[in-house]
Amino acid sequence: MVCLGNICRSPLADGLLKAKIEARQLTDSVDSAGTSSFHAGEKPDARMIATANSYGVSLSHLRARGFEAKDFDLFDRIFVMDKSNLQNVLKLARTEADRKKVDLLLNLSHPGENLEVPDPYYGGDEGFHAVYKMVDEATDVLIKQLEKNDG
Ligand code: 4NP
């Protein structure tokens, strides 16, 4: 799961998907990163931690890191939050196989629409709850795909 800072959107997608995987006792591994390393080493934004907590999801153990080309080797699928993240991740792709791993997260819940998870960083609390709803819907679709693959 990839966004810009790895402190708002992608940690939520990471923590929420991990919670869904654990609840179903699946074995898939999940991680998140930012296309910028500006916040590397930091916890998720306090507003994102509080929003996730209000839905019973803990994010406070996560720490930000930058996305690296080697992530293409470590992960089968790479979901980005917006089109800017998409461009930045694709710049690091080395092969067509790398490029094929990448998609906008909301194409899971809204196939082919190329919708973005908006950056909530400069807005109010309602933006964080809106992000939660979008990421929850998309990860619900993803978890069904992962259940099929495991089953
Ligand atoms: P994120 O949000 O990409 O969802 O983690 C942001 C976090 C920090 C900044 C921008 C977006 N920033 O400009 O520092």
Side-chain angles (χ1 to χ4, degrees), residues 46-64:
R47 296 163 295 174
M48 197 76 255
I49 291 178
T51 301
N53 269 339
S54 76
Y55 296 96
V57 177
S58 174
L59 304 180
S60 54
H61 58 288
L62 298 173
R63 295 294 179 274

Side-chain angles (χ1 to χ4, degrees), residues 2-12 33-36 38-39 42 44-45 47-48 64 81-82 85 117-122 128 131:
V2 181
C3 63
L4 173 61
N6 192 210
I7 57 169
C8 293
R9 294 164 291 176
S10 63
L12 174 68
T35 57
S36 148
F38 188 72
H39 292 279
E42 293 180 21
D45 186 284
R47 296 163 295 174
M48 197 76 255
M81 301 299 136
D82 65 32
N85 312 148
V117 181
D119 180 355
Y121 191 69
Y122 295 105
F128 285 81
V131 164

